[in-house]
Amino acid sequence: MGDVARLAGVSSQTVSRVSNGFAGVTEDTRRQVLAAMRELGYRPNSAARALRRGEFRTLGVITFSLSTLGNIRTLDAIATSAAREGYAVTLLPVAVPTQDEVNGAFSRLGELAVDAVIVIMEVHLLDAATVSLPPGVQVVVADSDAGDRYTVVDTDQAGGARDAVRHLLELGHRTVWHLAGPEDSFAAQRRANAWRATLDEACGWRQAPPLVRGDWSAESGYRAGLRIAEEPDCTAVFVANDQMALGLLRALHERGRRVPADVSVVGFDDIPEAASFLPPLTTVHQDFAEVGRLCVEGVLSKMREGAGDVAAAYDGQGQGTTLVPTRLVRRRSTAPPPGDR
């Protein structure tokens, strides 16, 4: 730093301010210092900076699956938001969601020197009595039903599912079938519960169709779709994600059931390819970028405020929980039932 200061003709304090991105330095001086850094090959010592400041400018992210689209897009949004705040991200995938694996993940992240942790936890793990996150660690959880114990950021799963089912009922369909996600998924359960509650509220006396399950994959949607296609009274299906909806569309096509002339289909996620399905898919849009931003904002707030309660920093529903709104994107995969046209 002293060599850079001498070459640039400034003080070491000015070099420090430039390397740390602080204000109070003119643009000409900043360019002069950066040119001296490049000439001398100077790079700030992050380890020394961490010891001096007591922070590493790194967030740890623990996730239990990189195979689902939602987790991948949430992770991407977290990394983008962290970089915008000047933080790096250290990713630690956990193969088996157990208490030992969670504790081991936190231990490994501690060795890797992170300031706080964001947990992307789709499965029902935090609800189990045997599983808890280590005390004294600043944590924000994405996609979980643990707002009474942790700071949680999640999409409004129930609200999105209600909008999807109501859209189909308002088109005139007497009932709506549901192709749900895996049973251990928090998001899948929230969407399925909202589907059934919306049907009960709107149809009352009518019995809801049997719930059909997939595993989030297009292949599972195809297999379930072959079964659904054999139901002559089925005119509308709400699918828990767009990838399963893609498989369902293929199955319906192979069985001669036209979409939306015979069967209307609504998905969930609004993946970039949804508009290119045949027909373009009506679906529920999730704002993954906002979920990631709020996760980073939440964990940074906890770091600044210490271990105190930061629930007041959130405007979501429920203690410690922020729900990011969804919106229904209407395309060409939905229409009134055949008898109403």
Side-chain angles (χ1 to χ4, degrees), residues 173 252 336:
H173 296 274
L252 292 172

Side-chain angles (χ1 to χ4, degrees), residues 10-62:
V10 298
S11 67
S12 295
Q13 183 180 11
T14 299
V15 175
S16 176
R17 296 185 70 83
V18 171
S19 65
N20 288 299
F22 293 155
V25 180
T26 66
E27 190 56 35
D28 287 343
T29 300
R30 188 182 304 279
R31 282 197 295 266
Q32 192 173 336
V33 171
L34 292 175
M37 286 181 177
R38 286 192 295 270
E39 182 175 339
L40 295 175
Y42 169 80
R43 291 183 299 172
N45 188 317
S46 58
R49 181 186 298 170
L51 289 173
R52 184 173 66 253
R53 293 183 178 178
E55 63 177 31
F56 301 95
R57 306 292 293 181
T58 300
L59 302 178
V61 177
I62 296 175

Side-chain angles (χ1 to χ4, degrees), residues 141-156:
V141 182
D143 196 7
S144 174
D145 192 17
D148 57 336
R149 300 169 62 194
Y150 306 102
T151 298
V152 174
V153 178
D154 188 29
T155 296
D156 186 2

Side-chain angles (χ1 to χ4, degrees), residues 54-94:
E55 63 177 31
F56 301 95
R57 306 292 293 181
T58 300
L59 302 178
V61 177
I62 296 175
T63 181
F64 295 95
S65 173
L66 287 174
S67 62
T68 63
L69 177 77
N71 285 358
I72 292 172
R73 293 185 65 181
T74 301
L75 175 61
D76 177 66
I78 289 171
T80 300
S81 298
R84 194 176 295 121
E85 296 290 339
Y87 282 77
V89 166
T90 296
L91 174 64
L92 192 63
V94 175

Side-chain angles (χ1 to χ4, degrees), residues 167-174 235-237 258-266 279-280 282 330-341:
H167 169 63
L168 293 167
L169 294 174
E170 288 167 0
L171 287 172
H173 296 274
R174 286 174 57 82
T235 65
V237 185
R258 298 166 298 167
V259 178
D262 299 319
V263 182
S264 289
V265 177
V266 177
T282 296
R330 293 173 174 83
R331 297 193 179 103
R332 298 211 307 271
S333 66
T334 55
D340 288 0
R341 284 197 291 273

